[in-house]
Every structure is written in structure tokens, then in C-alpha cells.
């Protein structure tokens, strides 16, 4: 029972790291917004004086709102059905959520581009009914579709948690009190789900504010969002001042939402700790499963999983186009991938960076988790808040902030720079997952080990580590995938001799009609599947213990 | 140090001495001025309410906490600087602290592995220890599959398998139901007799302390109030707190003046050797007698009148509450064969021989007395 | 309970394990240079025409970066960490940044071999010319076909979707003004309001494209009826099967690119060598006869083309091409961008 003060030390490496890599740059961004090109409110005045900018700000908020509402409407029935089905079907439904979550954003966006093209599958399907073809990209339809798909998992999981924790007897009781089923649903289930609705909506809304890839690749100027404007100002026009001011405005919008959500009973804590890896197990509840609900959820499941799958057959096409289904098949694009120095280098870079990030983020995150949980102090909670910042602030803001200081420090286009930035994004995941495990850990087990003759370090290795190992492994996997899939910061940090796979995919998508992108996507999907399976295996081990 | 680390296979516990031990956190003092001299093989209980400092003292002995001042000696050698894992003391934790990712055998073998014993010896000793706690057949079980009592036994086996000189137990029976607790108390005592280890046993349950201990150290507010055999504490408590904590009692706060004890206008005959000043008169419920209002009272007895407020028949005993108005409310226990012929609501006389009461110096407002409305 | 020492030890071990990997990145690239260009099909053609021959002839590796991000170059020069050795881009930037972000290099070359029209500053070496014409879908317009920029903006006579480059720095204003009857020599100063009013007329029919890939994709799909495109990329799309599109070489906007070297380029010598190789008579002739761009050298006049489409789209074939005024444009580049963003995001 060493004093909790000792544990505070364990938080310090991660805290220091995030202070230097994220907080300091964010501070610099805020400063820049007031100081460049000259001290004052000039950048803000300019921002709000320009119709185009204000319009884009309003549009960004409206789009996020639209996505949130769409997600809520689609996610609720799906989450509700999850509480009704048996364990096996639940696993399938969870899988349908996890697969898109673990799939790289570039891959998913590219899949939508292929699906929604005028000759794509969606238009082909519409054609069967004599409709179309429609322009589904370059306008709001495609952007909304893709955004909603990406955000759905983040809405379903908190809803499911809330729904699953409701005592189903309440519904029976309500029925007994004379409410017909639908009324009982409205008067009992719905009010009890409010925390889940708030949590999910906040997560989706805040995440939607930072969208960059989807409007960039699927939208037109009429869908342009603030993130794109920020990237444009900073990376193309080099107006760090106004770009920073925009980032601050976006950040304030985010903060405002989070604060008001707190009033409604949600909290940043729920935001950070929503465990996207394994939705809490809950008893299967018996109840009627309306056919309409099953069909609806089936379609949702297909929308979640389907798009990325299209890329697998496409990678075997024989043509130099994205025509789907391909008219003939070949391995030529695989040959192209593996004989291209650019692609191979990008793949190697991604693997190397992700590997290093996994090690760094896991070490920092595990230490910090112990520090936060065991110090049980205000300092611990405060440190946790700092560590979660990179997950709460839209990534484009982090990217702009990190880019500005990394330029000066000479970290752009270096492995070190990539590893530092990606580690900052990955540490929060590790902390959320591992600290949940540490919380359930009995601290006296380590003391017991000492009383039995283990030195503190040996006790940690023989007792504590085996007990939290499944969570550490999950955290490490998530750290790996976070780095491996990261695009936005990477776009800023890339250099001619250091490009990652998503970066090369992103520029190829804009650059040429090249099914090699589908090959890269398929490889990423394969890797993600392996990781999901590994994760399930680790989790299973964990269940045996508890 | 070598002597401390040697194993205890010859069945000899270690002598332990605490000298002026103090532990404080900033301004808050957890324990202070703890002096304790324990003979090899003695079973000593640290008894007190929660927060009294008994667990802190145990943790200082174990090495989980450092004393701010004072020193702990084992066989006359100071061990304050020795880290916990080198102290070679067995410890049984509250809620057992068994390793959930290991089987029963693996748990018990753990300390032997940490001592790099040969595989063969580990297997033998593990089996012997499990046999000792009557769990030889459950070695391959997972911890989660065991009942509370079984887990407790595994914890015990794990704590003694490496033959420590000193065994520390922190409320080991606290989580068990009454019957199992009593059964294990008996086994613990038996085990202690067989392996001869020095035991420090922390509990807040005075009955458990009385049943198990060679000596009891009563803690309150971070201090040891009194150390003694169970009988000595019961018969001669040195403070109202100890009097109240060890066994049931009726406490009458008052003052001695001219050889007589006086409380709220009522004089009592007290035992000898009492000086003037604030004092508390203690009468055990079993020492009180109840007679009908018109009944005879032996000469020389203290007597007060009252009303039988309630009574409960409990088999071999009968418990009564007598309301003596301004003189307080008294708990009475009558043994079978000596039940008085009284009923609820009867006017009664409460009386006792002065030798059966104990006069304790001082008055402690924090301790419940007969004037409290019970 | 981990003690501080142990933690330090663990961290040190991790760092020690990671270091060799990080250090590995510093491995010297044996003579290389970084070329920033628009990429896409242009890059594919350039690779064949002169990049690969250059690599073979000199052993210098050419690493390519696309698309052109001039802001990035500017930043790199400002913070003193330049990664780009050669950039191929519009002369506006060469004029605007000559002597600051870009190095004055014309002294290193014999500039007399180039058409003086394309020698506009001390930093850019003329590389190639190309056009922004428009194309129509011959399957859609079977009778009367659009033949002028005015037709392109006339949705009554020629209804249908129009693909337009989403860029204020491009040539959209020029096209609209010509369509509105402004003479080629009176284009500057550009009248933004007048141009955008012309665009208002087709706003609901516009399909935007941002990149060459999107342009090619649109044409391969055959899903737009009129395309205002980059000549080279569009021609390449036609060669690759989008043969429903017919170029209209009436008053195409004529553009030229220059090769520039950022100040402080790490491989300056290799860059100069590369530019010399690329602008040689042999390289240019090879390039313009296999790709729909035109030469900047006076002594390059292709007579044989790789195929018929290339011949049709050869920039030199337009007799009334409209020239841009780079010096006016670089001074007003911000206004052009803002005016377009303001209009297009509404």
C-alpha cells in the first residue's frame, strides 16, 4: 500500500508526452490565431466578415446535425434488436459494427466512390426499377450516406448499452399497469434510454464536425466543410493565422457541445470511455422480434459491412477502370502493387510506424492507466482529461497544430514525427481500455505477491500483467490500427521519402483511375480482419479469467 | 537477516517487538506510540474498531507501510528497512487476495517458486499444505469455483506453505457466515498449535479475539489502550473503552468521593483501591440480579429500583432490560436455572454484590453508558 | 508497484529497441531528386518520355510527389527544410516567388532555344504547353454540335450536364468572359462579376471535378454531356476509351508550365541536370509526340504522333488559342480564389 503519490509518477511520461506533442501545439495554434500576421482579433474579424466562411461554418454544424439525426434514427432500431436476439446473432450484429470501425477511413470512402459512381452498383440496382442513373457523388447524398455509415457504430454502441441495462421487467410491469406495448415503449424504454441517446449523439456530432476525407472525396464545393477550409488555408495558402482561427472556432463549437451535453447528463467521460471493442455483454432479453425490425436491421447491417467488401472483387479486375462487377478477372493489379517501389515503400513505412506506435502507446498508456486509477486523486482525473484531448478534439485541429510545431522542430517527413503524432492519437485508446481493466483489478493482489516473496516488479509481471493482459493486447491492437489507418495528420507530415499507405491511397484516388488502390484496400481489410480475430481471441482468454 | 529468512520447519516462531511505532500522513496520525513485545509462537490479536490503527500496525509489520518513527524488531534485529518481499512473513488478507488466473495449487506453490525451490519440493510442500487445510483434493480447481470457506483455506495454505516464522492475518474470517467462522476459528487455533508460528491477527470482533488469542492488544484512535490475556482484559479493563469493547457491560459514569461511588444522586458500593476523581462503574449483565419489588435483597448489595422494560428468552439464557429511570437502563443476562420470576412491566429491584463490579478510572463520553437511551 | 527506477529502465529499454529503426530512415539515398508535378496521366507519360530515360542515363532516382502544393514549398523554404528539388507549375508562381521561394536559374541555361513567349521570368524554365479546350459528347449532340465557348454556357441550345474544374486559379473566368463576348486581348483585368453571372446560368448543371482522376472518371463513365477540361488528361481519357467525346479547339485557353527549383533545394545539382535533360530537343520531341502537350522549344515541331487522337488534340493545332496574362494573374491570385470560393460554395 505505497502511497498513491507514487502512482502519480506513472502518469507523468504519458502526460509529458501529450503536453509536448498535443497540448503545447494546440496552445500555439490558439496563440497563432491572435498573433499572425499581426497581434489582435484580425483573423476572427476576417473570418466572421466573410460570407463564404460563415456559410461554411453554419454548413459544417448543420451537416453534423443532419448526420447525428440520421444516425439516431437508424441506430435505435438496430440497437433495440440487439437486445432482443440471442447470443450468436448478437455476435453477428456486433461484428457488423466492428468491421467498419476497424476499416480504414480511406478504404471506406473509396468504397463509396466506387459504389456511387454513375455506373456503380447503387445506380445499377436503381436501374432495375427503371430509375436513374443519378449523380450520387459530388453532392449531399453521397456525403451524407458515407458520413452516416462511418458514424453509425459510434451511435449504436452507447444506445445498446443503455437499452441493455434496462430491466425488461419494467416493460412487463408497464403492461401490467395498463399501457399498451407501444405506449409502454414510449413511456418507459425511451426515457430510460436518454443517457445513451445523449452520449451517442454527442460522440457522433463532435466527430462529424471534423470530417475531412468524405466531403473532400465525395462532395462538391457546395458540401465544403470547415476542415477542408482549414487544410486549404494552412497547407495550400499557408495562412497559419486565419487557419488557426478557424481551428479555434471549430474547437469552440466542439467544446460548447460537450459542455452542454454534460448538462444533459452525458459527460466527456462517457465520450472517452465508450468501449468500441466489446459492447458490454448483457443478458438476452426475451421479447417479440417484429419482422419489420429484423428486415430494417438487416439492411443497416449490409450498409455497415457491404461497401468495403465491394473492393475485394474489384482488386481482381482485369480492366484499368472501376467498372463493377469487373468483366474479367486477373492478378495484374496485385502484380502492379508488389512490383511498385512506391506502394511497397508506403506499406513498409506504414507497418514500421504502426509497430513503433504500438510499442510507445502501449507502454505510455499502460503506465498512465495505473497512475490514473491508483493515484485516485484530482491530479489523476485531470491527467486523464489531458490524455483524452486528442480523441475529443477533431483530428484536423490536432493535425494543423502538430504540423505547425513539427515544421519548426524538423519532425515533418520523419519517422519520429509520424510515430510521435500517431502515438498521441493512440494513447487515449490504450488508456480507456486498460484503465477500465485496472479499475477492476484488486490492488491487494500485488501486495499479496510481495508478502509471498515477489519483488514489486516480479509481482507486477507474474500477477498484475497476466490479469490485465487481454486489455493491454486490445489496446495495443487498437494503437496499431489507429496508426496504420491514420490519414489526416499523415497528409500534413508526409514527405517525398516518407509516405504511408493511406497517404499514397489518398493521393492515388485523386490522381488516377487505378485498381491498385483496390488491392491496397483489400490488403488493409485482410489485416483488419486478422486483428479483429486476434482481439476476439484475447478477449475470450480474458473472460476465462473473470 | 539470515535468521529471519531461514524457514521455520523446526516449528519455532519468531519474537517480534514494536518500539514506539508511529505512522502519520501529513497531519493525520494513523498510529502512535505502539509498543508490543511478542514471544515466539504467541498468538496476538490486534483488536479495535475500524480506523483504530490495527491494520496500519499490521501493514507496518508486514512492510507494506513504513513507520514514520519507531522500529520493528524480529528476533531482536531491526527490519524497518527490509522490503516487504524479503520479510518472509505469511499473510492472509481480508477477502483472501487469491490470484484469479492461477489454480489452487498454483496459488499455493507461488511463494515456493519465488524462493526458487526444486520442482519436486514445491509439489510435495504444496500438497502437504493443502492437506493441512483439508483441500488436498481441489488442487486443480480454479479459484472462482471455490466457496468462500474454501478460498479462505487456500489463502491460509498459501501463507504458511513456505514455513514463515510469522503469520499475519487481516480480518481473515470477516467475509464468512457465523457458523463457518466458528468452525474455522477452531481450525486456526489447532493449526497454530501444530506449526508454532507467531501470529498477528487483526479483527474488530471481540468474541473472535477472546476465542483465539494468547494476548489481545486493544486499539483505539491510533493507540494501544491495553494489552493482556483475554481474561485479564475481561476482568480488569483499564478504561471505559476497553471495558465496553471486551464483553458486554453496563457502564455507569460518575465520580469517586470519600470511598463511595456516586452517579446522579445515587451512591454505589464499589470495590477496593479506588481513589477520588471521575470514574466509571462497570457491571457485566451476567453479574446483575433482578428481584421482584417485594423480594429479598442480600445485605451489602448495591440496589436500585426500576421496571422490567423487556425480556427475551434465548434458550440457556434470558435477556432483560431494566429501566431504572434517572439511574439508567441496564442490560441483564440470567442463566438457566436462575431465571427470576418477573414479567414485562413489573416493578423490580436490580442488585449486585460490590465485588462483581469493576471500578475504572475516568469517564469516556464516546462510550455508550446506562444513561444513554438504548 | 513499479518503482521509478524500474520505469526508467523499461522506458530506456523500449527506446533502445526503437532507436535502430528510427535511425534506419537516415540511410542515404544514393543520388536522388524530388519532382513535384500534377501527377496522374501526365506523370505516366513523363515517366516514359524522359523520367525513366533520365534515371537510366544518370543513375539518379526521381521521386515524384503529386499534386503540386505550392504552399508546402513556401513553408519548407521558410523553415529551411526543403524537400522538393524541382517543381513543374504555372509561370504565375515563378513570377510571384522568383528570388524568394524560387531560385534564379535561367543563367544556368541557354534560354535562346525557347520561344520567347514562354520565357517570362528568371526562375522558370519553359517545359510544355497545353490547352484548356472543351469537349462534347457526340452521342448526345447528334445534330447541331456546340462549337464555341458561348455554346458551352448556353443551356437552352445545348442542355445537359457540364463538367467544370473547381478552381478559381484555373481558367474559368477567362472562359466565361470569352463566352460573354469579351475579346481575347481585352480579358484583363478580369471582370469577376460578369464572369460569375455567366456561370450562374449553368450552375445547376455543373458537375465539379477537382483532380485529373475525377475528370477521366467522368469521361470514361460518359455521364456528362460537356466537359471543360485539361486538354492532356481529357485526351488521355479519350485514348483510353472515352471516345464519345470530341474536342472543340476553338479559342482554347493556352497554358504553359515551367520547371522551377526552390531556394535551398537539397539536390540542386541533380535538379539542374534533370531540367537540362527534360528540356532537350530529344526529350521534348519524344514527349509531345506521345502526349497531348506542346513544345516550348523553337526547334521542336512534331510531324508524327503516336495516334490520331493526339494529332487532333495537339495544342499547336489551334489557330486562335487564347493566351493568359501571367503577370496580371499573379497579382490577383487571391481575389480569383476568393471570388470563386464565394460563388461556388453558395
Amino acid at each position: 500500500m505505497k502511497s498513491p503519490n507514487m502512482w502519480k509518477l506513472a502518469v507523468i511520461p504519458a502526460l509529458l508526452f501529450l503536453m509536448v506533442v498535443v497540448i503545447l501545439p494546440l496552445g500555439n495554434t490558439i496563440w497563432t490565431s491572435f498573433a499572425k500576421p499581426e497581434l489582435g482579433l484580425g483573423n476572427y474579424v476576417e473570418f466572421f466578415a466573410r460570407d463564404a466562411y460563415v456559410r461554411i461554418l453554419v454548413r459544417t454544424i448543420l451537416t453534423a446535425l443532419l448526420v447525428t439525426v440520421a444516425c439516431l434514427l437508424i441506430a435505435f432500431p438496430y440497437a433495440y434488436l440487439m437486445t432482443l436476439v440471442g447470443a450468436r446473432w448478437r455476435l453477428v450484429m456486433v461484428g457488423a459494427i466492428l468491421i467498419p470501425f476497424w476499416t480504414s477511413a480511406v478504404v471506406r470512402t473509396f468504397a463509396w466512390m466506387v459504389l456511387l459512381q454513375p455506373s456503380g452498383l447503387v445506380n445499377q440496382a436503381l436501374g432495375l426499377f427503371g430509375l436513374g442513373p443519378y449523380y450520387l457523388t459530388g453532392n449531399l447524398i453521397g456525403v451524407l450516406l458515407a458520413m452516416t455509415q462511418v458514424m453509425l457504430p459510434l451511435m449504436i454502441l452507447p444506445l445498446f448499452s443503455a437499452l441493455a441495462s434496462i430491466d425488461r421487467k419494467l416493460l412487463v410491469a408497464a403492461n401490467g399497469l395498463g399501457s399498451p406495448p407501444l405506449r409502454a415503449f414510449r413511456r418507459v424504454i425511451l426515457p430510460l434510454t436518454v443517457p445513451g441517446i445523449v452520449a451517442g449523439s454527442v460522440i457522433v456530432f463532435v466527430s462529424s464536425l471534423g470530417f475531412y476525407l468524405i466531403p473532400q472525396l465525395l462532395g462538391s464545393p457546395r458540401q465544403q466543410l470547415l476542415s477542408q477550409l482549414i487544410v486549404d488555408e494552412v497547407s495550400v495558402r499557408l495562412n497559419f493565422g486565419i487557419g488557426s482561427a478557424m481551428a479555434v472556432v471549430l474547437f469552440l463549437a466542439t467544446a460548447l457541445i460537450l459542455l452542454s451535453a454534460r448538462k444533459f447528463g452525458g459527460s466527456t467521460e462517457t465520450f472517452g470511455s465508450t468501449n468500441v471493442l466489446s459492447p458490454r455483454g448483457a443478458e438476452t432479453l426475451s421479447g417479440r422480434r417484429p419482422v419489420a425490425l429484423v428486415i430494417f436491421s438487416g439492411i443497416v447491417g449490409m450498409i455497415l459491412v457491404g461497401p468495403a467488401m465491394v473492393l475485394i472483387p474489384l482488386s481482381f479486375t482485369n480492366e484499368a477502370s472501376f467498372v463493377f462487377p469487373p468483366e474479367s478477372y486477373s492478378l495484374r493489379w496485385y502484380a502492379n502493387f508488389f512490383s511498385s517501389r512506391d506502394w511497397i515503400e508506403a506499406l513498409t513505412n506504414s507497418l514500421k510506424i504502426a509497430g513503433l506506435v504500438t510499442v510507445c502507446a502501449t507502454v505510455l498508456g499502460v503506465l498512465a492507466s495505473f497512475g490514473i486509477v491508483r493515484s485516485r486523486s484530482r491530479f489523476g482525473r485531470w491527467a486523464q482529461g489531458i490524455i483524452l484531448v486528442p480523441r475529443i478534439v477533431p483530428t484536423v485541429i490536432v493535425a494543423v497544430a502538430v504540423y505547425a510545431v513539427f515544421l519548426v522542430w524538423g519532425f515533418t517527413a520523419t519517422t519520429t514525427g509520424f510515430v510521435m503524432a500517431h502515438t498521441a492519437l493512440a494513447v487515449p485508446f490504450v488508456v480507456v481500455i486498460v484503465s477500465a481493466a485496472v479499475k477492476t483489478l484488486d490492488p491487494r493482489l500485488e501486495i499479496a505477491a510481495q508478502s509471498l516473496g515477489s519483488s514489486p516488479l516480479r509481482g507486477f509481471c507474474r500477477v498484475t500483467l497476466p490479469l490485465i493482459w487481454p486489455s493491454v493486447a486490445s489496446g495495443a491492437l487498437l494503437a496499431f490500427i489507429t496508426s496504420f489507418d491514420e490519414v489526416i495528420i499523415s497528409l500534413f507530415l508526409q514527405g517525398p521519402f516518407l509516405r504511408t499507405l493511406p497517404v499514397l491511397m489518398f493521393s492515388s484516388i485523386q490522381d488516377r483511375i487505378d485498381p491498385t488502390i483496390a488491392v491496397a484496400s483489400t490488403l488493409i481489410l485482410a489485416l483488419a480482419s486478422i486483428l479483429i480475430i486476434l482481439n476476439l481471441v484475447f478477449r475470450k482468454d480474458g473472460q476465462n479469467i473473470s | 537477516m539470515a535468521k529471519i529468512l531461514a524457514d521455520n520447519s523446526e516449528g519455532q516462531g519468531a519474537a517480534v517487538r514494536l518500539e514506539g511505532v508511529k505512522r502519520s500522513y501529513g497531519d493525520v496520525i494513523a498510529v502512535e506510540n505502539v509498543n508490543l513485545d511478542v514471544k515466539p509462537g504467541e498468538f496476538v490479536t490486534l483488536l479495535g474498531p475500524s480506523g483504530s490503527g490495527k491494520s496500519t500496525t499490521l501493514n507496518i509489520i508486514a512492510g507494506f507501510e513504513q513507520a514514520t518513527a519507531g522500529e520493528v524488531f524480529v528476533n531482536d534485529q531491526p527490519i524497518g528497512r527490509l522490503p516487504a518481499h524479503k520479510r518472509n512473513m505469511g499473510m492472509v488478507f481480508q477477502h483472501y487476495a487469491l490470484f484469479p488466473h492461477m489454480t489452487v495449487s498454483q496459488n499455493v506453490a507461488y511463494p515456493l517458486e519465488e524462493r526458487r525451490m526444486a520442482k519436486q519440493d514445491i509439489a510435495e510442500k504444496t500438497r502437504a499444505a493443502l492437506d493441512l487445510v483439508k483441500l488436498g483434493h481441489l488442487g486443480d480447481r480454479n479459484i472462482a469455483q471455490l466457496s468462500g470457506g474454501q478460498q479462505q483455506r487456500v489463502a491460509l495454505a498459501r501463507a504458511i506453505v513456505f514455513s514463515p516464522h510469522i503469520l499475519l492475518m487481516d480480518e481473515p474470517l470477516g467475509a464468512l457466515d457465523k457458523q463457518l467462522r466458528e468452525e474455522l476459528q477452531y481450525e486456526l487455533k489447532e493449526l497454530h498449535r501444530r506449526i508454532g508460528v507467531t501470529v498477528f491477527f487483526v479483527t474488530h470482533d471481540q468474541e473472535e479475539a477472546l476465542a483465539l488469542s494468547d494476548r489481545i492488544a486493544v486499539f483505539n484512535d491510533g493507540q494501544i489502550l491495553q494489552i493482556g490475556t483475554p481474561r485479564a482484559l475481561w476482568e480488569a479493563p483499564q478504561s471505559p473503552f476497553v471495558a465496553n469493547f471486551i464483553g458486554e457491560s453496563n457502564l455507569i459514569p460518575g465520580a469517586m468521593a470519600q470511598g463511595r461511588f456516586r452517579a446522579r444522586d445515587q451512591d454505589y458500593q464499589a470495590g477496593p483501591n479506588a481513589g477520588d476523581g471521575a470514574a466509571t462503574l462497570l457491571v457485566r449483565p451476567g453479574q446483575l440480579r433482578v428481584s421482584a419489588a417485594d423480594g429479598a435483597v442480600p445485605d451489602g448489595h448495591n440496589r436500585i429500583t426500576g421496571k422490567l422494560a423487556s425480556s427475551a428468552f434465548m434458550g440457556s439464557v434470558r435477556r432483560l432490560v431494566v429501566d431504572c429511570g434517572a439511574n439508567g437502563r441496564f442490560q441483564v443476562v440470567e442463566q438457566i436455572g436462575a431465571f427470576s420470576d418477573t414479567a414485562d412491566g413489573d416493578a423490580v429491584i436490580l442488585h449486585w454484590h460490590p465485588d462483581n463490579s469493576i471500578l475504572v478510572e475516568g469517564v469516556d463520553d464516546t462510550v455508550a453508558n446506562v444513561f444513554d437511551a438504548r | 508497484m513499479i518503482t521509478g527506477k524500474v520505469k526508467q529502465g523499461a522506458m530506456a529499454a523500449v527506446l533502445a529497441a526503437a532507436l535502430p529503426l528510427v535511425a534506419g530512415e537516415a540511410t542515404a539515398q544514393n543520388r536522388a531528386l524530388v519532382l513535384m508535378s500534377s501527377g496522374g496521366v501526365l506523370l505516366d507519360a513523363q515517366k516514359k518520355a524522359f523520367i525513366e530515360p533520365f534515371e537510366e542515363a544518370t543513375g539518379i532516382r526521381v521521386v515524384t510527389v503529386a499534386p503540386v502544393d505550392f504552399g508546402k514549398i513556401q513553408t519548407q523554404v521558410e523553415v529551411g527544410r526543403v524537400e522538393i528539388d524541382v517543381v513543374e507549375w504555372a509561370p504565375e508562381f515563378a513570377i510571384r516567388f522568383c528570388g524568394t521561394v524560387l531560385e534564379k536559374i535561367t543563367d544556368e541555361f541557354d534560354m535562346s532555344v525557347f520561344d520567347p513567349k514562354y520565357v517570362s521570368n528568371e526562375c522558370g524554365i519553359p517545359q510544355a504547353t497545353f490547352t484548356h479546350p472543351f469537349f462534347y459528347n457526340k452521342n448526345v449532340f447528334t445534330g447541331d454540335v456546340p462549337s464555341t465557348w458561348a455554346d458551352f454556357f448556353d443551356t437552352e441550345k445545348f442542355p445537359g450536364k457540364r463538367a467544370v474544374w473547381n478552381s478559381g486559379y484555373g481558367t474559368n473566368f477567362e472562359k466565361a468572359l470569352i463566352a460573354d463576348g469579351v475579346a481575347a486581348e481585352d480579358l484583363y483585368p478580369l471582370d469577376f462579376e460578369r464572369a460569375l453571372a455567366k456561370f450562374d446560368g449553368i450552375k445547376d448543371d455543373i458537375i465539379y471535378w477537382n483532380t485529373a482522376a475525377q475528370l477521366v472518371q467522368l469521361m470514361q463513365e460518359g455521364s456528362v454531356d460537356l466537359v471543360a477540361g485539361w486538354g492532356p488528361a481529357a485526351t488521355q481519357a479519350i485514348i483510353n476509351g472515352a471516345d464519345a467525346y470530341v474536342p472543340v479547339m476553338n479559342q482554347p485557353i493556352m497554358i504553359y508550365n515551367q520547371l522551377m527549383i526552390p531556394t535551398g533545394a537539397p539536390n540542386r545539382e541533380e535538379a539542374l541536370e534533370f531540367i537540362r535533360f527534360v528540356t532537350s530537343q530529344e526529350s521534348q520531341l519524344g514527349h509531345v509526340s506521345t502526349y497531348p502537350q506542346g513544345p516550348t522549344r523553337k526547334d521542336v515541331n512534331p510531324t508524327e504522333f503516336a495516334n490520331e487522337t493526339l494529332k487532333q488534340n495537339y495544342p499547336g493545332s489551334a489557330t486562335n488559342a487564347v493566351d493568359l496574362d501571367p503577370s496580371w494573374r499573379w497579382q490577383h491570385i487571391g481575389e480569383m480564389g476568393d471570388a470563386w470560393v464565394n460563388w461556388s460554395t453558395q
Side-chain angles (χ1 to χ4, degrees), chain A residues 87-102:
Chain A
R88 188 169 303 174
W89 276 107
R90 164 114 31 100
L91 199 67
V92 171
M93 294 182 80
V94 169
I97 302 168
L98 292 188
I99 287 170
F101 184 81
W102 285 74

Side-chain angles (χ1 to χ4, degrees), chain A residues 166-464:
Chain A
I166 295 175
D167 187 352
R168 203 48 51 104
K169 285 184 210 118
L170 285 177
L171 204 58
V172 180
N175 279 331
L177 293 172
S179 304
L182 211 62
R183 243 172 86 90
F185 178 83
R186 210 188 64 217
R187 296 200 47 187
V188 179
I189 300 273
L190 216 49
L192 286 170
T193 327
V194 165
I197 293 176
V198 171
S201 301
V202 169
I203 298 168
V204 170
F205 189 89
V206 168
S207 310
S208 300
L209 284 179
F211 266 120
Y212 172 76
L213 272 190
I214 291 174
Q216 181 72 12
L217 292 178
L218 290 173
S220 81
R222 293 203 202 185
Q223 282 80 50
Q224 193 177 23
L225 300 183
L226 205 50
S227 315
Q228 294 165 276
L229 206 56
I230 293 173
V231 172
D232 210 44
E233 289 294 344
V234 170
S235 155
V236 182
R237 299 166 132 216
L238 230 72
N239 288 331
F240 277 99
I242 185 126
S244 301
M246 291 174 182
V248 171
V249 168
L250 185 58
F251 176 72
L252 286 179
T254 309
L256 214 68
I257 300 300
L258 288 174
L259 286 178
S260 54
R262 204 169 244 193
K263 269 200 172 153
F264 279 101
S267 70
T268 44
E269 194 116 331
T270 43
F271 181 77
S273 62
T274 297
N275 190 347
V276 204
L277 284 165
S278 61
R280 207 171 69 209
E283 266 178 77
T284 301
L285 304 150
S286 57
R288 288 191 313 123
R289 290 162 215 168
V291 180
L293 191 60
V294 173
I295 293 172
F296 179 83
S297 301
I299 294 171
V300 173
M302 271 172 56
I303 292 176
L304 283 169
V305 181
M309 298 302 144
V310 169
L311 299 179
I312 298 172
L314 185 63
S315 70
F316 293 101
T317 184
N318 193 26
E319 273 114 296
S321 72
F322 298 148
V323 170
F324 195 90
E327 278 154 28
S328 58
Y329 293 90
S330 79
L331 288 173
R332 64 183 274 208
W333 300 109
Y334 281 86
N336 193 41
F337 183 95
F338 288 105
S339 61
S340 152
R341 187 149 62 169
D342 285 347
W343 283 108
I344 293 298
E345 273 182 11
L347 177 64
T348 322
N349 287 337
S350 278
L351 289 172
K352 183 168 97 181
I353 290 167
L356 287 169
V357 168
T358 307
V359 174
C360 297
T362 308
V363 170
L364 290 176
V366 169
L367 280 176
S369 303
F370 276 93
I372 289 165
V373 175
R374 297 248 166 117
S375 72
R376 273 172 283 145
S377 59
R378 189 176 299 171
F379 173 77
R381 284 194 299 278
W382 182 78
Q384 190 181 23
I386 296 285
I387 287 170
L388 290 182
V389 161
R391 289 255 63 87
I392 294 166
V393 177
T395 312
V396 73
I397 298 179
V398 179
V400 167
V402 166
Y403 180 58
V405 297
F406 275 24
L407 265 179
V408 179
W409 296 343
F411 282 153
T412 52
T414 64
T415 306
T416 318
F418 270 91
V419 171
M420 281 171 69
H422 287 182
T423 301
L425 289 186
V427 164
F429 275 127
V430 179
V431 167
V432 164
I433 292 169
V434 175
S435 64
V438 174
K439 244 177 231 163
T440 63
L441 201 65
D442 185 349
R444 283 168 320 158
L445 294 180
E446 281 169 43
I447 297 173
Q450 285 178 53
S451 82
L452 298 170
S454 298
S455 67
L457 182 65
R458 256 190 84 76
F460 185 82
C461 293
R462 283 202 64 185
V463 176
T464 312

Side-chain angles (χ1 to χ4, degrees), chain A residues 55 59 117-119 135 221-222 235-238 341 407 412-413 415-416 446 456 496 499 510-512, chain C residues 1 6-7 22 25 40 44 61 64 69 71 75 81 83 166 169 203 211 213 217 221 223 338 342 345-346:
Chain A
R55 196 162 50 235
R59 177 188 301 146
Q117 60 187 339
S119 64
Y135 286 101
R222 293 203 202 185
S235 155
V236 182
R237 299 166 132 216
L238 230 72
R341 187 149 62 169
L407 265 179
T412 52
T415 306
T416 318
E446 281 169 43
R499 275 174 288 191
Q510 300 202 315
D511 210 38
R512 58 183 73 225
Chain C
M1 277 181 216
V6 169
K7 260 178 294 180
V22 178
E25 134 201 354
D44 292 343
R61 182 185 172 194
T64 56
D69 182 346
T75 322
R81 275 180 61 91
E83 290 166 349
N166 173 34
Y169 316 116
K203 191 163 192 178
T211 64
Q217 169 87 358
E221 296 256 348
S223 57
D338 290 344
N342 192 37
T345 57
Q346 277 184 37

Side-chain angles (χ1 to χ4, degrees), chain A residues 63 67 70-71 74 100 105-116 136-137 139-153 208 211 213-219 303-304 307:
Chain A
T63 306
V67 172
C71 280
I74 298 172
V106 182
V107 172
R108 279 181 298 185
T109 313
F110 176 57
W112 280 113
M113 290 175 70
V114 171
L115 271 179
L116 298 177
L136 301 171
T137 59
N139 55 39
L140 195 60
I141 301 173
V143 173
L144 272 189
L145 249 174
M147 285 184 179
T148 306
Q149 185 226 12
V150 172
M151 288 292 126
L152 263 179
S208 300
F211 266 120
L213 272 190
I214 291 174
Q216 181 72 12
L217 292 178
L218 290 173
I303 292 176
L304 283 169

Side-chain angles (χ1 to χ4, degrees), chain B residues 150-304:
Chain B
Q150 288 168 330
Q151 291 192 25
Q152 211 286 330
R153 286 190 168 100
V154 178
L156 189 58
R158 190 178 68 174
I160 59 171
V161 68
F162 55 99
S163 309
H165 296 260
I166 299 162
L167 180 59
L168 310 173
M169 299 202 229
D170 189 2
E171 309 238 1
L173 308 177
L176 302 175
D177 63 51
K178 191 172 189 300
Q179 199 175 346
L180 199 56
R181 204 157 65 218
E182 279 167 7
E183 193 182 316
L184 279 165
Q185 280 172 11
Y186 172 78
E187 280 181 28
L188 261 184
K189 188 125 197 172
E190 177 66 18
L191 193 74
H192 174 238
R193 199 181 54 74
R194 281 172 62 181
I195 62 176
V197 65
T198 306
V199 176
F200 286 85
F201 188 95
V202 163
T203 185
H204 63 269
D205 180 339
Q206 50 102 2
E207 272 184 47
E208 198 165 275
L210 293 174
L212 288 171
S213 319
D214 293 327
R215 279 195 297 158
I216 299 171
V218 182
F219 277 76
N220 193 33
D221 279 343
Q223 308 244 18
I224 293 182
L225 294 185
Q226 194 173 350
I227 308 171
T229 61
R231 197 178 171 113
L233 289 176
W234 203 85
E235 287 178 346
Q238 287 162 3
S239 61
F241 181 86
V242 174
N244 185 54
F245 208 77
I246 306 290
E248 274 187 288
S249 54
N250 295 295
L251 296 180
I252 310 170
M256 281 300 290
Q258 291 123 28
R260 286 188 74 80
F261 180 79
R262 191 169 178 81
R264 295 218 178 158
D265 302 332
Q266 174 75 37
D267 281 352
Y268 299 93
Q269 291 281 349
N273 305 328
D276 286 2
T280 303
L281 195 66
L282 161 83
V283 203
R284 304 281 180 194
Q287 310 273 31
L288 286 169
R289 300 281 174 270
V290 175
S291 304
D294 51 358
V297 171
D299 282 349
H301 274 209
N302 286 313
R303 55 175 288 169
I304 36 179

